[in-house]
Amino acid sequence: MAHLKLLYGFHAITARLRHDASTITEILYDPNRRDRRMQDFLNTATGVRLIAVDEGRLQGLAGTDRHQGVVARVTEVYLAQNLAELLDGISGSALLLVLDGVTDPHNLGACLRVANAAGAQAVIAPRDRAVGLNATAAKVASGAADITPYITVTNLARALRELKDANIWVTGTADDAPTSLYETKLAGSLALVMGAESEGMRRLTRETCDEVMHIPMAGTVESLNVSVASGIALFEARRQRIMVNSDTLKLLVSQAAADYVLAHTPEGAVIGIGTGSTANYFIDALAERKVFGSRFSGAVSSSNASTSRLQMHGIEVLELNQIETLPVYIDGADEINHHGHMVKGGGGALTREKIIAMVAETFICIADVSKRVDTLGHFALPVEVMPIARSALSRKFLALGGMPVLRTTSNSTPYLTDNGNQIIDVQHLNITDPLTLEAEINSWPGVVTVGLFAKRHANLCLLASAAGIETIQYP
Ligand SMILES: O=C(CO)[C@H](O)[C@H](O)COP(=O)(O)O
């Protein structure tokens, strides 16, 4: 029979809701607490049985008055009890936090919390140098202690060797390590070893690591709290994973797009090709398939950069003025919503992209899943402007509620487009009506092009995610 226990406080219950809401039997709450936090909490708890009870009942259940008006009855989530069980349960890439001693329950709680937040599967520590998972540690962990296993081992060096045998790379941290965190590859299966609170890693632990790195410090303090250092290193590992993934997804979607275009485009057609890293992968994918000069007669390109890449592959690039029809245009996007409306221009080629998109019969957007949004505007909206109009237009963007930022190069000089204009990136716009905003900004003198592609939106999106390639049609 499932074991029932109680959780109390917003953090702990929200963490459980996010992890697995089906393990929550019911949530008891104080209906007299009507503030925003309670409202938001109750809104996220949809699908769970909610019971209004008085404050005294909550205090009796929680055994404390620090319940914040919410107590949940939950079934225990089964957590791995030892290293073997943990390793058996990991599918895909491992991310583990190893603490070579942690004696302060606050530090242990904070480490569990940050490990959980970074997506680590467990925290491991040597039994004789580690504090137990007591009430203080569990409280500081804010719900993570129920979800992220804390595994103590008799012999840490032996445990690290077991991890290595399971093809997990063991990377330690030490202030005197020659290599910095930012030069270290952390994207594969990884156990990250942090030293004890004051002494750092023990000699044997350090010798067992595959590699040791340091966290570069810019100030004068000697060291960081172990939970802070763990957070920095774990989130760098996470960042590297996301980067690897997004590049892999761009590669996969480009290959799918090359096959799609081959299957759906007439013999001898000219192909419209956009700009950016996804478009670059697409150019390479077409070049690999050796289809130009035979199956396709050439390409039109939306930027000098894409033209150079196409020509480097020996592909003929035509002027748009030389052609009358263009069956298909393939390009990336910075954001795409559920109607196929896009924000584009992160690569600065928005004007030529819009012109080619206008001529093309079908616009195929190729993107990884990070580009799909409900509402456009999280990515700053690029607007190509004539330099003389820059300040006047910036004031208009401010009046719209946006924050205009002039795009600059690494030398801090204004970025210039292939057309000799400048780009204002407008941050903080919540674009709920892309069609109207596109028309409004386009009507301002001095605007060359706004990077909103709503009127001429994508007809099709090939969207890559870990689940595969999704083909989305927009009417
Ligand atoms: O609009 C663009 C260039 O002007 C690009 O399509 C957009 O910035 C996406 O780029 P990437 O494929 O590198 O993510």
Side-chain angles (χ1 to χ4, degrees):
M1 207 179 100
H3 215 115
L4 273 183
K5 66 178 260 182
L6 292 168
L7 294 179
Y8 63 86
F10 290 117
H11 275 310
I13 304 177
T14 305
R16 180 63 75 95
L17 275 166
R18 289 200 183 121
H19 176 69
D20 187 357
S22 69
T23 60
I24 304 184
T25 312
E26 59 195 19
I27 295 175
L28 300 101
Y29 71 100
D30 178 358
N32 295 320
R33 196 177 154 166
R34 294 204 180 95
D35 53 293
R36 185 65 199 258
R37 193 161 182 204
M38 179 63 95
Q39 281 314 316
D40 288 348
F41 172 79
L42 293 176
N43 288 339
T44 56
T46 49
V48 178
R49 187 162 168 233
L50 296 172
I51 305 173
V53 296
D54 61 39
E55 207 278 334
R57 173 107 189 273
L58 292 177
Q59 178 147 351
L61 285 167
T64 167
D65 59 2
R66 298 176 64 194
H67 49 70
Q68 299 174 311
V70 282
V71 173
R73 282 188 218 278
V74 300
T75 47
E76 291 243 52
V77 175
Y78 182 79
L79 299 182
Q81 301 294 306
N82 53 49
L83 209 52
E85 260 184 45
L86 173 72
L87 293 175
D88 275 352
I90 295 178
S91 58
S93 183
L95 180 60
L96 304 170
L97 176 64
V98 180
L99 304 170
D100 190 9
V102 54
T103 49
D104 178 342
H106 290 94
N107 280 345
L108 174 61
C111 285
L112 275 162
R113 184 174 181 172
V114 78
N116 176 284
Q121 290 100 346
V123 175
I124 300 169
R127 196 163 298 141
D128 57 352
R129 286 164 54 90
V131 63
L133 189 50
N134 59 23
T136 308
K139 177 83 188 122
V140 176
S142 293
D146 289 320
I147 296 159
T148 303
Y150 173 51
I151 291 174
T152 53
V153 294
T154 335
N155 182 324
L156 188 66
R158 195 191 311 140
L160 294 181
R161 283 194 290 272
E162 280 178 46
L163 296 180
K164 289 160 77 157
D165 289 344
N167 290 323
I168 297 173
W169 189 255
V170 177
T171 300
T173 47
D175 298 344
D176 60 349
T179 321
S180 106
L181 160 81
Y182 302 114
E183 298 154 327
T184 309
K185 275 182 110 177
L186 303 169
S189 264
L190 176 76
L192 190 69
V193 189
M194 311 301 298
E197 282 120 343
S198 49
E199 308 129 56
M201 282 188 296
R202 290 171 294 175
R203 187 183 53 79
L204 191 54
T205 307
R206 183 171 180 154
E207 283 171 9
T208 316
C209 290
D210 290 305
E211 174 171 35
V212 183
M213 63 183 186
H214 72 269
I215 297 178
M217 309 271 276
T220 49
V221 293
E222 244 181 55
S223 63
L224 292 167
N225 170 278
V226 62
S227 65
V228 174
S230 300
I232 291 168
L234 285 167
F235 273 88
E236 171 60 14
R238 188 172 154 72
R239 188 193 66 82
Q240 290 188 17
R241 277 149 211 253
I242 292 167
M243 298 290 291
V244 168
N245 282 342
S246 118
D247 269 357
T248 311
L249 294 178
K250 284 178 181 181
L251 175 70
L252 291 176
V253 79
S254 303
Q255 286 174 343
D259 294 336
Y260 186 94
V261 168
L262 269 168
H264 293 88
T265 313
E267 286 288 321
V270 173
I271 308 291
I273 296 178
T275 299
S277 54
T278 321
N280 282 346
Y281 279 121
F282 177 69
I283 294 171
D284 298 347
L286 280 183
E288 257 170 41
R289 286 161 177 74
K290 305 200 184 315
V291 286
F292 283 97
S294 49
R295 175 76 173 74
F296 300 134
S297 57
V300 290
S301 136
S302 71
S303 64
N304 295 345
S306 290
T307 298
S308 303
R309 197 174 187 98
L310 285 158
Q311 288 173 338
M312 184 192 82
H313 284 298
I315 297 169
E316 189 184 353
V317 181
L318 293 100
E319 286 286 328
L320 189 65
N321 290 320
Q322 292 175 264
I323 59 163
E324 280 180 19
T325 55
L326 188 65
V328 67
Y329 175 56
I330 300 96
D331 197 359
D334 299 304
E335 287 183 336
I336 181 160
N337 72 11
H338 299 280
H339 303 286
H341 301 152
M342 295 166 285
V343 165
K344 289 182 46 56
L350 59 164
T351 298
R352 296 189 190 189
E353 288 169 355
K354 225 173 216 189
I355 297 169
I356 302 177
M358 170 183 76
V359 176
E361 283 159 36
T362 303
F363 186 148
I364 303 180
C365 172
I366 48 175
D368 64 274
V369 70
S370 68
K371 307 290 182 69
R372 178 157 63 184
V373 296
D374 290 331
T375 310
L376 301 174
H378 189 70
F379 189 92
L381 178 65
V383 186
E384 180 164 348
V385 302
M386 296 187 63
I388 183 183
R390 187 183 64 219
S391 302
L393 289 170
S394 293
R395 288 192 289 276
K396 292 193 68 83
F397 291 123
L398 278 172
L400 267 187
M403 171 55 71
V405 177
L406 180 68
R407 193 178 293 185
T408 52
T409 64
S410 51
N411 300 329
S412 303
T413 54
Y415 171 90
L416 286 185
T417 67
D418 287 349
N419 317 310
N421 296 310
Q422 296 176 346
I423 289 189
I424 298 176
D425 290 303
V426 190
Q427 302 171 350
H428 308 317
L429 289 173
N430 184 27
I431 307 174
T432 50
D433 185 353
L435 275 163
T436 307
L437 187 67
E438 181 180 8
E440 165 75 8
I441 297 176
N442 268 339
S443 73
W444 296 344
V447 168
V448 179
T449 310
V450 57
L452 261 176
F453 286 58
K455 188 157 191 281
R456 199 322 170 210
H457 58 76
N459 301 101
L460 191 79
C461 179
L462 298 179
L463 193 76
S465 70
I469 309 287
E470 195 183 344
T471 305
I472 309 163
Q473 308 258 9
Y474 307 101

